[in-house]
Amino acid sequence: MLIKNDFVVAAPVETVWKYFDDIPTVAACLPGAEITDNLGDNRYKGRVAVRMGPVKLRFGGIANIVERNDSAKRMRVQASGSEEGGKGQAEMNLTASLSGTGGGTRVLVEQDLLLSGAAAQYGRGMISDVTSVLMNQFASNLQSRIGAAERGEAVRTSGARSASGLSIGFSAMMLALKRAFRRFFAPYQPTAR
């Protein structure tokens, strides 16, 4: 399933792109994600944990940076992993592209995601909504960490906690309700003549 998200960081493109050089620091911006080992040759071992209500999904795996195009400000990552203590599998091809915008940098993230096991039971809508919530939190964390780095403040990059089930679940539910209301009320909207 292809999921696209974009957000704006209030910093110049070169600043954000330079920040993307430090993969463990960037990974720490995503709630529940942590790089546990640098394997060399642009390969990293890590884990991701997301809690949705009573269900906690924990995946361990390998991420490989297959492209880093400095002139186009584009990075492609292939990642795969398996559910810790379960039978689920996850594969992801991620492309992050940066471009300048009036007040900073627009970051476009495209994820081609393949899930099996417990995570696959949630369906495209819920997975897309949860991804949107996580990307919003990632954008906020990225913005605050870049700001802290520019001010010379130290930023903690380890000790990832699971992404909060209550806040993610509530936010994803709100996105689903908005989508349902738009579909329901669309036939009743007046049309321009």
Side-chain angles (χ1 to χ4, degrees):
M1 101 183 55
L2 185 62
I3 301 171
K4 295 181 182 183
N5 298 98
D6 69 314
F7 55 88
V8 175
V9 177
V13 174
E14 290 300 328
T15 301
V16 178
W17 185 246
K18 184 178 177 190
Y19 197 79
F20 272 56
D21 275 340
D22 187 347
I23 299 301
T25 301
V26 172
C29 291
L30 184 64
E34 179 180 28
I35 299 293
T36 58
D37 196 12
N38 183 341
L39 302 174
D41 295 325
N42 288 317
R43 296 180 69 232
Y44 299 87
K45 186 175 182 180
R47 60 180 162 246
V48 177
V50 178
R51 181 181 291 278
M52 294 188 55
V55 178
K56 184 174 185 177
L57 301 172
R58 293 180 58 90
F59 287 87
I62 305 289
N64 185 22
I65 299 171
V66 295
E67 177 190 1
R68 182 177 172 82
N69 187 324
D70 290 324
S71 60
K73 305 294 186 272
R74 181 181 59 241
M75 179 182 290
R76 287 190 322 113
V77 179
Q78 292 177 338
S80 62
S82 56
E83 190 177 358
E84 295 176 359
K87 296 181 181 177
Q89 299 287 319
E91 291 182 25
M92 178 180 65
N93 289 307
L94 179 140
T95 303
S97 305
L98 282 60
S99 60
T101 185
T105 302
R106 176 169 304 282
V107 180
L108 172 63
V109 179
E110 297 181 359
Q111 302 169 66
D112 190 1
L113 188 60
L114 179 62
L115 298 171
S116 66
Q121 298 174 11
Y122 285 103
R124 179 175 174 69
M126 182 61 136
I127 291 170
S128 181
D129 291 343
V130 168
T131 301
S132 292
V133 171
L134 288 173
M135 281 293 105
N136 286 338
Q137 291 177 2
F138 173 81
S140 177
N141 291 339
L142 182 65
Q143 178 70 63
S144 66
R145 287 171 185 251
I146 287 174
E150 287 181 336
R151 291 187 301 274
E153 299 170 5
V155 178
R156 194 178 96 167
T157 61
S158 62
R161 295 178 305 165
S162 295
S164 167
L166 185 59
S167 67
I168 289 175
F170 181 75
S171 297
M173 180 185 72
M174 293 307 293
L175 288 172
L177 285 172
K178 286 178 187 176
R179 195 172 51 249
F181 279 119
R182 278 195 301 268
R183 279 195 306 258
F184 179 76
F185 288 112
Y188 304 106
Q189 296 297 317
T191 57
R193 293 182 189 203

